[in-house]
Amino acid sequence: MANQATYQEPAVPVLLLKTRSIPGDSYYDKFTAAQLPNGRRLAPIFVPVMLHKFDDDGLGMLRSLLREQKISNRPDASFGGMIFTSQRSVEAFAHVTNAEKTAQAPAWPHLQDVPVYSVGPATTRALSAVSQTPPLQVFGEHTGNGEALARYMLEHYGEWYRGRPTKPPLLFLVGEQRRDIIPKTLMDVSLAADRRIEVTEKVIYGTGVMESFPADFENQLRAAAAINRAPSSLPSRWVVVFSPTGCDSMLRGLGMLDEVGKVVPGRRDGKTFIATIGPTTRDFLIETFGFQPDVCAAKPSPEGVLDAITEFETRIALES
C-alpha cells in the first residue's frame, strides 16, 4: 500500500490554470474542503493564463440591440434568444447591462420573453449577475459542452417557437477563439427548414496568453517541487487545464516538448499529473502535442474535476 498520509503532511498543490473568480471561487471552496485517499488534502493555487479584453465594437452592437429591444419574441425582432458558452462572454454582457441599468426602464434589458442558453453551471452562475425582473430564463446548464447544448437547443428552441415555420436567429456572444460546433449543428443544411436555426456569432471579447504566465507557472512548479513529503506513488502535485490557451507554455514549463512542439516520451517527472476540464481541452492536447492527460472531468465543474482526481488517486492507492 502507498504510505499513509498524516494530518501533518503538506497539502497537495493543485495549480489551477485560471483567474480566481471574484468575490468567491467554487474551485477554491471545493478543493480546500476536499479529502483524497489516505487523508490527503489539496491546496489550490491559481495561475492565470488568459488575458481578456472587451471588444468595443461588439459591446456597441450589443448595447444597440438591447436598447432597441431587438432581442425578443416579436416577429420583427432581430434575434429570438441568446447563447453563452463562456464566463467571459457573460462578463461582457453584464458589463453592458449593468452600465445601462440606471438610465433604462425597469424592464431593462428587455429579455423577459426569450430563452437564454448556457453551456454549464459556471456560465449559468455568471448569468446571475445580470439583473432583470423577472430574472433571465436560462436553459441548458445540464448539457456541459457545445455539442450537447446544440442538440438540446434544436429541440428546446424549436418548441419555444413551434408556431413559426422559420425560427428566429440566435445571437451567440463569443470570444476571438471558439469552436464552431454550435452554429454548424444548428445551421446544418441536412436539417428540415422548419428545424434549422440561424446563428449569428458576435465577438465581444478577445483572448490572449498573459505574458507573465510561463514564468508564473515555472515559479509555482518550483515551489511545489520544494515541498518535503514522504515517498509515495501518489501525485505530488496536480495541474488543472481549463482551455487550449496556454497548453504550449504549460507543457514547455514541464519540460515535455521537443523543438517542433511535440511531447517527448519519457520526459514526465512522474510526480506532476494533468487534469482537463473536459474533452475539448483533452482532445486539443492529444491532437496538437501528442499528450494524453491523466484525467478528464466528466462534467466541467469543480465537482467534476475533483471526482476525476479522486477516482484516479483511489485507483493508484489500491494498486500500490
Side-chain angles (χ1 to χ4, degrees):
M1 293 292 291
N3 289 347
Q4 297 292 311
T6 67
Y7 69 91
Q8 294 97 346
E9 183 176 347
V12 178
V14 182
L15 307 188
L16 300 165
L17 305 191
K18 68 183 289 288
T19 300
R20 183 169 180 171
S21 298
I22 300 298
D25 193 290
S26 55
Y27 281 90
Y28 180 85
D29 296 338
K30 290 289 183 182
F31 279 58
T32 52
Q35 184 168 310
L36 295 181
N38 296 356
R40 284 154 54 91
R41 313 293 299 200
L42 297 175
I45 300 166
F46 294 89
V47 189
V49 178
M50 293 187 287
L51 181 66
H52 303 284
K53 182 180 180 181
F54 293 153
D55 183 279
D56 291 337
D57 290 341
L59 294 183
M61 179 278 303
L62 176 61
R63 188 177 295 110
S64 296
L65 286 172
L66 294 174
R67 285 175 176 174
E68 297 168 16
Q69 300 183 39
K70 291 294 186 179
I71 308 173
S72 80
N73 64 355
R74 298 194 312 269
D76 63 341
S78 299
F79 301 98
M82 303 181 72
I83 307 171
F84 294 91
T85 58
S86 78
Q87 294 182 63
R88 303 308 171 197
S89 61
V90 176
E91 287 174 5
F93 178 53
H95 174 78
V96 170
T97 59
N98 292 341
E100 295 274 318
K101 188 169 181 62
T102 57
Q104 298 293 334
W108 174 261
H110 310 292
L111 301 173
Q112 286 82 357
D113 301 318
V114 301
V116 176
Y117 294 103
S118 167
V119 77
T123 307
T124 300
R125 283 194 298 270
L127 281 165
S128 66
V130 180
S131 176
Q132 179 184 269
T133 304
L136 296 174
Q137 299 186 72
V138 183
F139 305 94
E141 174 182 349
H142 65 284
T143 57
N145 60 68
E147 183 177 0
L149 178 61
R151 292 196 301 268
Y152 172 77
M153 285 189 290
L154 276 175
E155 303 304 324
H156 186 273
Y157 196 69
E159 179 63 21
W160 192 281
Y161 290 104
R162 62 182 178 276
R164 301 193 193 181
T166 300
K167 302 300 180 282
L170 279 163
L171 177 61
F172 188 9
L173 300 182
V174 299
E176 291 174 336
Q177 302 176 24
R178 73 276 189 185
R179 297 183 69 200
D180 61 356
I181 185 65
I182 288 178
K184 283 179 66 176
T185 301
L186 298 185
M187 297 191 293
D188 191 335
V189 294
S190 68
L191 291 170
D194 62 348
R195 293 198 70 216
R196 199 177 309 136
I197 305 167
E198 181 182 341
V199 177
T200 296
E201 295 179 284
K202 186 62 182 178
V203 174
I204 202 166
Y205 69 94
T207 302
V209 178
M210 294 185 67
E211 291 185 7
S212 64
F213 171 68
D216 293 342
F217 182 61
E218 290 190 25
N219 288 339
Q220 292 295 348
L221 284 176
R222 281 196 294 270
I227 297 174
N228 291 321
R229 61 178 70 252
S232 172
S233 58
L234 294 170
S236 296
R237 50 197 163 270
W238 281 94
V239 178
V240 181
V241 191
F242 292 83
S243 81
T245 303
C247 284
D248 182 279
S249 297
M250 175 198 71
L251 293 173
R252 290 191 186 281
L254 291 168
M256 293 187 190
L257 297 185
D258 60 17
E259 61 276 4
V260 297
K262 294 293 183 180
V263 165
V264 178
R267 280 198 180 175
R268 298 198 63 172
D269 62 15
K271 298 179 180 179
T272 306
F273 289 73
I274 312 297
T276 65
I277 187 67
T280 299
T281 304
R282 176 200 62 198
D283 294 347
F284 179 82
L285 284 167
I286 295 171
E287 295 166 6
T288 305
F289 304 103
F291 176 73
Q292 175 71 56
D294 299 288
V295 300
C296 174
K299 294 183 178 180
S301 65
E303 295 83 1
V305 175
L306 187 57
D307 286 347
I309 290 175
T310 301
E311 181 181 342
F312 180 89
E313 293 217 2
T314 299
R315 186 173 68 251
I316 296 298
L318 291 173
E319 293 173 354
S320 299

